[in-house]
Amino acid sequence: MTSNDQPRRSDRHRPDYDDYDYDDEPRRGGLAKRVLLWALGIIVLLFVAGTALFFYYASSAPRISRSELAGQSTTTIYDDQNRIISRLGAQKREVAKSDQVPDNLKHAVVAIEDRRFYKHHGVDPIRIVGAATANIFGRSAGMQGGSTLTQQLVKLSVFSTAASDRTFKRKAQEAWLAINVERHFSKNQILDFYINKVYMGNGVYGMQTAAQYYYGKDLDELDLPQLALLAGMPQSPSYYNPLADNIRYATQRRNEVLDAMVRSKYISQSQANQAASESITDGLDPDHGNTSNNGTGVKEKVIDAYVKQVLADLEARGYNPYSDGLKVHTNLDLDAQRHLYDAANNTVSFQGNNMQTGVAVTDPHNGQIVAMLGGRHTGNVIYGLNRAVQTNRSSGSTAKPLMDYGPAIEYLQWPTFKRVQDTEFVYPGTNKVLRDFDNKYKGSMTMRAALVQSRNVPAIRTLQEVGIKRATDFVNGLGISQKDPYTLQSGIALYISPLQVSAAYAAFANGGTYYKPYYISSITTQDGNIKQINPQGKRAMNRATAYMITDMLKGVFNASDQGSASAAKLDGVNQAGKTGTTNYPSGSGHSGAMDSWMAGYTKNYSIAVWTGYDRPMQSPGLSDSGTQSAILLYKDLMSYLDSQNHASNWAMPDTVEAVRVNGKRQLVIKDSKWALEYAADDSDDDSGQDNDHSSSSSSSSSSHSESSGSESNSESGRHNGESSSSSASSSSSSAASSSSASAASTPSTAPTNNAQPANNGQ
């Protein structure tokens, strides 16, 4: 060992001498190198795996042909028998050849959609990174995404725009096809395909057709600002529609295109400024040039409401029905739809052409929407107001099975002979008196009689015993909800649509299962992928509840039961249902009814009909004959439907038994406290007729008009007073008085808005 290898004396006395590690620095460097190598290895491995996955997905990409690139991506809608009922893009399509497309239009499209279009080969990595960075830092301003024009063309030709399809697999296939398209077609051909294919709003496809539709001219006749607008429209055709009432968005989009053209040096700033000064409405053609509708074989008016909801459903699922080229199979029964349209517009008598209706028909077995009518005598309006799905009109007494008596059977196990009181009633905490149309009270009566005759006071007293909380739970299970809490008044009027009523009553029809109503059975995208739409059902009530409500509602069609829908009775048709009418608010100066409803069902169909005026305060009230239109329209439609698919009668579940009470057949839940007091009735009489009640007692007011805050009931129309009959036996009265509902909370909530329509009781 040399002297240079020996530590110096001074080093031996350093405090850290013994701890000094001569290998520490080299080992630190080695660790950093190993970490770097590991990181690089992982990156390489991920790249290799990603590349392998990309080519794996690409290998299963669908083929794409010239005809698909050049063809129109039309969405076709079918009925339940695979018959075409509508085609989107039925406008006559004008295809522009390359020499007919102005350079300014090509420049505008490239500038706003794909600035590097002439530099990439179908996929633009720089564009993808730039779009991702802009999205992360919020600097994109919605100008451009990561897809090139070629990728957009591929998507329009073979894929859908649904959010569910935005997967790595789909993106890989889209990129692969874009690369292949660029190998087989020139940039100008690709641009021509795109310009002639994109959706331009109002049922128009392709910019040449759009030039005629919006301006009545060919593309080569348009000026710079008009071409700039067309170039910017495909991003959101309805939003940038120059025919819209608010043209601010179309103007902004056109100016964005002009600015993009300046940045790409296609035009000067002075040219852009001059073009931006032109009004967006200059040159618009109200006659839409030479465009014409090709038609589908079905009058749009007949299926207008249904197709409107189908399109809304597709968009809610993430599809663009105007550009995705879908095949949409629906649950529409076209024959039933035609019959409904004809009945409402031609056959059934209405109070006048301005009187309106909304109708929904559902299948109780699965929730499929069979037919729908949004209005009558609607003129040339397409996709107009659909009254079948509007929730701004009171349902009247059609609410009673849903809010009152259904929950009473479900939660309190009431039998159909449960005694309820039709006596003077004042909403708790107020001086508002609840009345029926006849300003009379009928004393003690059975639940069956109260429901069939649609008495208001027994319904509200029943809701009190059930409790708002449990009643709310019950209607929520039937697809009915609202933002504000329910009140006692909800027991005789719910603000729900005909579609909601139809779907809710369908649960009574099928034994207690609520199916969410739906229009579409399957969606097929351009690449052949099929999405099946299946029923969504859940149990909403016991079978006993559904059967007992149905058994009582059969009486609504029987004149002997003083049923309010006896005019809709159909021999041989096993049906149950409920009417509903509402009066104008007190002090409105109107007489007659404001709304009239009829809801009914068999085991195969559930129908809900609303009739009234769109602007009731500016319209005459419904006369007695006017309120019958809903009943007669229901009868006409149900007669047709049952003749096509006859329904058998309902079978009593083993949880229910029939008993004799005062000589009448009634129903009771087995093993309930009421069941123990009566012998089972095995007779075949299931008519459920029940006229049992105490003597009528006239209210102090004999006027038909409402007193302050009162409710009037005109539902039965037009019932005569009930004849007296003997009261129930003492044991029945005892059972009625010992209701298990004592545990239910009694809400003190009362109606607070005097402007609300009053329930007529029907």
Side-chain angles (χ1 to χ4, degrees):
M1 180 180 293
T2 65
S3 60
N4 290 336
D5 295 326
Q6 297 295 324
R8 292 174 296 180
R9 289 178 59 86
S10 60
D11 290 334
R12 295 174 185 172
H13 295 284
R14 284 170 49 195
D16 58 343
Y17 175 78
D18 293 333
D19 297 328
Y20 190 80
D21 187 349
Y22 292 97
D23 295 328
D24 189 48
E25 291 182 10
R27 288 171 63 185
R28 284 181 188 151
L31 178 61
K33 183 183 294 185
R34 285 195 295 272
V35 170
L36 180 60
L37 289 174
W38 272 104
L40 289 173
I42 292 173
I43 292 173
V44 171
L45 183 62
L46 290 174
F47 177 78
V48 172
T51 302
L53 187 61
F54 173 86
F55 283 104
Y56 172 74
Y57 285 149
S59 66
S60 61
R63 294 180 179 274
I64 188 168
S65 65
R66 182 189 184 96
S67 62
E68 288 172 318
L69 293 171
Q72 181 177 338
S73 300
T74 301
T75 289
T76 306
I77 303 176
Y78 302 83
D79 73 350
D80 65 345
Q81 300 298 315
N82 204 36
R83 294 174 292 188
I84 295 175
I85 60 173
S86 184
R87 290 190 185 95
L88 301 188
Q91 294 287 343
K92 177 183 177 183
R93 184 170 176 239
E94 298 282 343
V95 176
K97 298 179 180 178
S98 184
D99 59 359
Q100 296 174 316
V101 180
D103 288 341
N104 269 339
L105 179 60
K106 295 180 180 180
H107 295 160
V109 170
V110 170
I112 195 63
E113 293 291 346
D114 188 358
R115 290 190 297 270
R116 291 173 45 81
F117 175 66
Y118 293 106
K119 298 179 181 179
H120 62 67
H121 299 285
V123 178
D124 187 358
I126 296 176
R127 180 182 174 87
I128 293 172
V129 173
T133 303
N135 288 333
I136 291 172
F137 293 101
R139 295 198 298 260
S140 65
M143 292 293 290
Q144 295 191 355
S147 295
T148 65
L149 269 172
T150 313
Q151 287 175 281
Q152 292 180 50
L153 175 62
V154 167
K155 186 184 297 183
L156 290 171
S157 301
V158 295
F159 295 127
S160 80
T161 57
S164 58
D165 286 339
R166 294 171 193 165
T167 61
F168 181 75
K169 177 181 179 180
R170 184 56 51 84
K171 286 294 182 183
Q173 293 178 337
E174 180 186 295
W176 178 254
L177 289 176
I179 293 171
N180 277 278
V181 167
E182 294 259 356
R183 289 173 53 202
H184 292 89
F185 300 96
S186 69
K187 290 288 186 180
N188 275 340
Q189 286 177 306
I190 293 170
L191 194 53
D192 288 343
F193 289 148
Y194 176 85
I195 287 173
N196 283 300
K197 193 178 192 73
V198 288
Y199 180 64
M200 300 296 291
N202 294 294
V204 174
Y205 288 82
M207 294 185 184
Q208 171 71 354
T209 314
Q212 282 290 337
Y213 184 84
Y214 292 111
Y215 299 109
K217 299 178 180 179
D218 290 331
L219 282 173
D220 54 11
E221 298 176 283
L222 301 184
D223 60 17
L224 175 60
Q226 293 168 340
L227 292 171
L229 173 65
L230 295 184
M233 284 185 67
Q235 186 187 74
S236 182
S238 59
Y239 202 59
Y240 303 131
N241 181 6
L243 302 177
D245 293 334
N246 187 347
I247 59 173
R248 179 165 62 94
Y249 304 112
T251 303
Q252 289 176 347
R253 180 60 174 172
R254 180 201 62 186
N255 294 345
E256 284 177 359
V257 175
L258 293 170
D259 291 340
M261 294 179 73
V262 172
R263 287 194 300 272
S264 297
K265 303 186 186 311
Y266 288 125
I267 61 174
S268 67
Q269 186 63 58
S270 62
Q271 287 176 299
N273 293 340
Q274 183 178 355
S277 67
E278 183 177 301
S279 172
I280 204 74
T281 60
D282 282 359
L284 291 177
D285 178 15
D287 296 324
H288 307 304
N290 64 8
T291 58
S292 61
N293 196 291
N294 292 334
T296 62
V298 176
K299 291 182 179 179
E300 288 292 336
K301 291 181 183 179
V302 175
I303 50 151
D304 180 82
Y306 201 101
V307 171
K308 179 183 179 181
Q309 300 309 129
V310 168
L311 298 182
D313 192 1
L314 289 170
E315 291 173 342
R317 295 176 184 275
Y319 296 97
N320 185 337
Y322 300 100
S323 63
D324 286 353
L326 307 170
K327 292 182 179 179
V328 183
H329 286 83
T330 72
N331 301 313
L332 176 71
D333 181 334
L334 182 57
D335 295 329
Q337 181 70 29
R338 284 172 166 154
H339 185 94
L340 170 59
Y341 181 88
D342 184 63
N345 285 278
N346 303 311
T347 307
V348 175
S349 175
F350 280 78
Q351 196 165 292
N353 286 343
N354 290 332
M355 184 177 171
Q356 277 299 342
T357 187
V359 185
V361 186
T362 58
D363 184 338
H365 299 101
N366 45 39
Q368 292 179 351
I369 301 172
V370 175
M372 173 176 285
L373 191 67
R376 56 188 295 272
H377 297 305
T378 55
N380 294 322
V381 176
I382 297 297
Y383 304 152
L385 178 64
N386 185 359
R387 297 162 186 83
V389 297
Q390 299 299 307
T391 58
N392 61 342
R393 303 301 285 263
S394 169
S395 69
S397 292
T398 59
K400 290 173 181 174
L402 306 172
M403 195 77 185
D404 309 324
Y405 299 113
I409 298 173
E410 181 74 9
Y411 301 119
L412 308 181
Q413 293 191 318
W414 280 13
T416 60
F417 57 84
K418 172 70 170 65
R419 307 299 296 187
V420 291
Q421 299 302 312
D422 187 8
T423 56
E424 183 174 346
F425 181 88
V426 179
Y427 282 109
T430 76
N431 61 354
K432 297 175 182 177
V433 179
L434 175 62
R435 302 184 188 279
D436 278 289
F437 82 100
D438 54 4
N439 283 320
K440 294 181 179 181
Y441 301 108
K442 295 194 172 185
S444 177
M445 60 197 312
T446 63
M447 177 173 66
R448 182 189 293 274
L451 176 57
V452 170
Q453 297 174 32
S454 199
R455 305 299 294 179
N456 281 340
V457 174
I460 295 301
R461 292 191 185 279
T462 298
L463 177 56
Q464 276 188 313
E465 293 205 51
V466 169
I468 295 292
K469 169 82 168 55
R470 287 190 287 199
T472 299
D473 291 342
F474 190 81
V475 295
N476 286 169
L478 293 171
I480 298 170
S481 63
Q482 66 181 34
K483 183 178 180 181
D484 298 326
Y486 291 105
T487 67
L488 284 179
Q489 193 174 22
S490 304
I492 54 175
L494 291 168
Y495 283 85
I496 50 180
S497 68
L499 180 59
Q500 288 175 301
V501 175
S502 175
Y505 273 49
F508 295 134
N510 66 33
T513 299
Y514 170 74
Y515 287 98
K516 183 178 180 180
Y518 67 108
Y519 303 88
I520 301 172
S521 60
S522 71
I523 303 168
T524 305
T525 55
Q526 293 181 104
D527 60 343
N529 181 47
I530 301 176
K531 178 178 178 59
Q532 296 288 343
I533 312 297
N534 298 313
Q536 298 180 33
K538 61 179 180 180
R539 180 151 293 281
M541 68 190 82
N542 295 322
R543 291 186 176 276
T545 301
Y547 181 79
M548 291 169 69
I549 287 290
T550 296
D551 189 75
M552 291 190 291
L553 291 182
K554 288 180 180 180
V556 171
F557 296 94
N558 296 325
S560 59
D561 290 343
Q562 300 184 40
S564 55
S566 58
K569 183 177 179 62
L570 293 164
D571 291 337
V573 176
N574 300 296
Q575 61 178 335
K578 187 74 187 74
T579 57
T581 54
T582 64
N583 275 348
Y584 284 90
S586 59
S588 67
H590 283 75
S591 62
M594 187 162 65
D595 305 279
S596 181
W597 291 72
M598 178 64 213
Y601 55 90
T602 66
K603 290 170 70 174
N604 294 333
Y605 299 101
S606 178
I607 303 173
V609 180
W610 165 85
T611 59
Y613 289 92
D614 288 337
R615 296 179 176 84
M617 293 304 176
Q618 288 79 49
S619 305
L622 300 179
S623 64
D624 287 358
S625 60
T627 61
Q628 293 294 298
S629 295
I631 296 173
L632 297 177
L633 181 56
Y634 164 87
K635 179 181 182 180
D636 185 286
L637 181 58
M638 182 58 84
S639 176
Y640 169 80
L641 290 172
D642 195 71
S643 69
Q644 302 300 305
N645 186 15
H646 177 64
S648 62
N649 205 352
W650 289 271
M652 187 166 65
D654 56 12
T655 52
V656 177
E657 64 180 350
V659 296
R660 281 279 164 181
V661 179
N662 292 334
K664 300 294 182 181
R665 185 177 184 274
Q666 300 281 8
L667 299 179
V668 64
I669 296 176
K670 280 187 179 178
D671 300 326
S672 68
K673 64 178 182 179
W674 285 281
L676 302 177
E677 303 201 21
Y678 297 91
D681 179 11
D682 297 326
S683 68
D684 294 332
D685 175 22
D686 66 347
S687 63
Q689 295 180 0
D690 178 21
N691 297 317
D692 182 45
H693 58 84
S694 296
S695 299
S696 302
S697 58
S698 175
S699 69
S700 58
S701 172
S702 61
S703 172
H704 182 74
S705 62
E706 295 176 79
S707 61
S708 176
S710 70
E711 299 281 350
S712 76
N713 183 323
S714 63
E715 170 142 15
S716 300
R718 324 296 183 213
H719 298 327
N720 296 322
E722 282 186 287
S723 59
S724 299
S725 65
S726 60
S727 61
S729 65
S730 59
S731 60
S732 174
S733 300
S734 173
S737 64
S738 58
S739 170
S740 62
S742 59
S745 60
T746 302
S748 60
T749 310
T752 57
N753 185 355
N754 287 331
Q756 288 186 341
N759 173 32
N760 278 347
Q762 292 197 22

